[in-house]
Every structure is written in C-alpha cells, then in structure tokens.
Amino acid sequence: MLLAAWLTMAVPGEPAVAQAQQAQSHGESELRAVGKHLLQADLIFDRLLGAGTLLALSDCTGVPILLKSLDSGDPVVVRAAVDTLLASGANSLFPEITKRALANDTVGEALLWSLSENFQPGFKPLVDTALREGKGARRYAALLALAQSGDDVYLPELLELAARTDPDAYEQAYVLYAIAALGAGSRVRDQIAATSRSTQAAEREIAAVSLGHLNEAASLPALANLTADPVPQVRIAALASTARMGDERAAKQLEAIIRSKDIPSAIAASASLKRLMVPQAVTIIKNSLSCCDLVPSVVMRLLESWGSVSGEGSPSAEI
C-alpha cells in the first residue's frame, strides 16, 4: 500500500502535500524520486514523509532519519516517526521500535497510540503489559489498540472491567468501546446508551463511536441526539456512526463539514471517514479532493483515510 507511506501524525509543508497528491497518481519511480527529494527538506515532517515513502518501496535510505526522530524527545515528532514506521509495513524494524519503546516513555506512549489506529500483532505483548500495568493515557491507548486488534480473546477481561461498580468513567467509556468494536456491544448496550448521556463531551464522543459498532436501529435515537450535541467532535463522531449504518444524509453532512472553513471540524470529519464503508468513504474523499481548495492539514487527513480504507478494504481506526 504505497499511499500509507504518506501518513504521518503531523502536517507536512504545503509543497510536500502537493507533491504527494501528484506522485500518488504516477508510478513507483515518481514516488521514489519525490521521497528522495523530501529527505533533503528543511521541515522534519517532510523528511519523515520522504523516509516513509521510500521505506514503503523497500528502500531503507531514510531509516536513520526515522530512528533518530524516535530519540528527539518531541512527542509530536516521535509520534510522526512511529506512525510512519508502522504504516510502511517494515516488520524487520519492529524489534528495534519495541526496544526503544521499552527504554523511552515518550516512544512507548506514542507507539501505543499509533497501535490504537494501526494495530500490528507483533506488538501484542507490549499492549498486554500496558493494559495490565499502565495508567491514564497508556491504558486508554491499550484499550483502543485491543479494539483494533479484532482479537476476542480479550472479551472476558473487558466484560469483567465493564461490570465494575466503581469505574473511572472515562476509562469505562473506552472499555465499552473496545467491547463493541470486538463484536459484543449488545452485552453492554445499556451502558453505552448511558455513556452517551454523560456530562463529559469526551465520554459522549466515545459512546457515539461505540453506537456505530452496535449497528442497530435501536441506536439511532441516541445517535440523533448526539448529532445535535453542542460539541463539534461529538456531532462528527455521531454523524460518522450514522453514515456507517447507511444514512446518506449523514454522509452528505460529513462531506459539507470537510469543505467548510471550520478547519478543526474539517480535520475531524476527514479522519472520521476511516469508519465508513469503503465505497462511501472513497466517494467523499474523491469529491472533496477534486472540488475544493482545501488546506494541507485537511488534505493529509483525507489521504490518510483513503490509505486506510483502500488498504484494508474495511472500516479502520475510529477514535
């Protein structure tokens, strides 16, 4: 999946975005030429983009840049490097990434969050450890990674966590999401519905995603309420779940948000397309890229979603 080479957490410079869009329509030689050119860029995120492009073509020229970035201490740069390494599919580098994740907390947390969007089975022991021993953000990321894994071996433990009488409400929202994503949402349906009425926007947002996994008509009233939520991120999550269930009006609303001048909402809506079914997502992405003069940050999220759905053939990461 060559398009995955363009994926980073941070936003490359505008010239790099233009080169990415142009090279994507050409062949391997064009991609390789652009990748090598970007290795010389001033902006670190452009250099990571170039390194990832080459790595996806089995060219390790940019690997030193990626590994050096893991040691940068800058959480944004570290996450961008981790995302690029995982997206490239360079499994031979996974032991080195694991080694650095165990030795460096910044790398470890970045890796867990990256796995929550792009799970790789080779890192399962690290996720297991974070679930059982981690706290706060590490534990949340581990729960999301489990949801991405598709491995229902975790369900008994997750259902036990969901049954706690005194849970941390925010963590509980992630637990319920993981259960729903693993196909057992009907067993915690009432709890998800209750979370959708939380006073905390972050919990409502996670519940909106979980409701989409239930894929039940009974979820539609709760989703309808969430599409009218005062917080944009909650509304967008609910629209994506509703669109995922086949509602074309919700899909059109997402497309309108992507084309809007509200850049944070446009970015969130672009990322949410990973949760739609492939034809629906690709149609919105192509329409948006061809119709409008979008800012680079929105373009990159659209390319990321395109790479996700076209590479896996099914909905991908959610939160």
Side-chain angles (χ1 to χ4, degrees), residues 222-236:
L223 285 170
N225 288 335
L226 291 170
T227 58
D229 196 276
V231 178
Q233 288 82 356
V234 178
R235 294 198 300 272
I236 290 166

Side-chain angles (χ1 to χ4, degrees), residues 144 169-178 180-181 185 188-215 219-227 229 233-242 244-245 275 318-319:
L144 290 177
Y170 190 52
E171 180 181 305
Q172 187 78 339
Y174 280 109
V175 169
L176 297 174
Y177 160 72
V188 289
R189 181 187 296 110
D190 292 344
Q191 288 170 273
I192 293 173
T195 303
S196 75
R197 299 188 293 271
S198 169
T199 58
Q200 300 300 311
E203 294 167 23
R204 297 196 303 276
E205 182 181 359
I206 300 170
V209 178
S210 301
L211 287 165
H213 277 285
L214 290 178
N215 198 26
S219 299
L220 291 174
L223 285 170
N225 288 335
L226 291 170
T227 58
D229 196 276
Q233 288 82 356
V234 178
R235 294 198 300 272
I236 290 166
L239 284 170
S241 286
T242 306
R244 178 190 177 110
M245 294 169 67
R275 297 203 287 118
E318 275 99 6
I319 299 176

Side-chain angles (χ1 to χ4, degrees), residues 127-128 130-134 139-140 142-144 146 153-179 182 187-188 191:
V127 174
D128 288 346
L131 178 66
R132 293 174 173 85
E133 301 177 9
R139 189 168 164 86
Y140 305 152
L143 287 165
L144 290 177
L146 294 186
V153 71
Y154 294 103
L155 275 176
E157 184 174 357
L158 291 169
L159 289 167
E160 185 177 329
L161 290 172
R164 291 174 298 179
T165 57
D166 59 343
D168 171 273
Y170 190 52
E171 180 181 305
Q172 187 78 339
Y174 280 109
V175 169
L176 297 174
Y177 160 72
I179 293 170
L182 292 174
R187 300 174 68 173
V188 289
Q191 288 170 273

Side-chain angles (χ1 to χ4, degrees), residues 29-291:
S29 60
E30 286 85 355
L31 283 168
R32 192 182 301 276
V34 171
K36 289 186 175 182
H37 177 73
L38 289 174
L39 289 183
Q40 310 304 318
D42 293 332
L43 190 64
I44 180 57
F45 301 113
D46 289 348
R47 296 199 296 275
L48 293 176
L49 188 64
T53 300
L54 293 173
L55 194 55
L57 297 170
S58 301
D59 183 332
C60 295
T61 306
V63 167
I65 292 174
L66 290 163
L67 295 180
K68 183 177 180 180
S69 296
L70 294 180
D71 298 328
S72 69
D74 182 329
V76 177
V77 173
V78 171
R79 174 65 191 277
V82 170
D83 283 352
T84 303
L85 285 162
L86 264 59
S88 72
N91 294 0
S92 62
L93 291 171
F94 286 3
E96 179 63 25
I97 301 170
T98 299
K99 176 183 174 182
R100 293 179 187 234
L102 292 172
N104 184 311
D105 286 344
T106 302
V107 177
E109 188 164 321
L111 177 56
L112 286 168
W113 281 111
S114 191
L115 291 170
S116 75
E117 299 181 357
N118 181 15
F119 186 80
Q120 304 288 337
F123 294 105
K124 186 173 177 290
L126 187 142
V127 174
D128 288 346
T129 299
L131 178 66
R132 293 174 173 85
E133 301 177 9
K135 296 180 180 179
R138 277 179 174 263
R139 189 168 164 86
Y140 305 152
L143 287 165
L144 290 177
L146 294 186
Q148 276 292 97
S149 75
D151 192 343
D152 61 7
V153 71
Y154 294 103
L155 275 176
E157 184 174 357
L158 291 169
L159 289 167
E160 185 177 329
L161 290 172
R164 291 174 298 179
T165 57
D166 59 343
D168 171 273
Y170 190 52
E171 180 181 305
Q172 187 78 339
Y174 280 109
V175 169
L176 297 174
Y177 160 72
I179 293 170
L182 292 174
S186 61
R187 300 174 68 173
V188 289
R189 181 187 296 110
D190 292 344
Q191 288 170 273
I192 293 173
T195 303
S196 75
R197 299 188 293 271
S198 169
T199 58
Q200 300 300 311
E203 294 167 23
R204 297 196 303 276
E205 182 181 359
I206 300 170
V209 178
S210 301
L211 287 165
H213 277 285
L214 290 178
N215 198 26
E216 300 173 343
S219 299
L220 291 174
L223 285 170
N225 288 335
L226 291 170
T227 58
D229 196 276
V231 178
Q233 288 82 356
V234 178
R235 294 198 300 272
I236 290 166
L239 284 170
S241 286
T242 306
R244 178 190 177 110
M245 294 169 67
D247 189 315
E248 287 302 319
R249 290 179 300 175
K252 290 293 185 183
Q253 286 179 268
L254 282 175
E255 187 171 335
I257 293 170
I258 291 168
R259 301 182 187 189
S260 74
K261 300 300 182 183
D262 181 350
I263 303 305
S265 292
I267 291 171
S270 299
S272 77
L273 299 181
K274 298 175 187 178
R275 297 203 287 118
L276 274 57
M277 300 309 291
V278 175
Q280 198 176 37
V282 170
T283 296
I284 294 174
I285 293 166
K286 288 184 174 180
N287 288 346
S288 300
L289 289 174
S290 63
C291 83

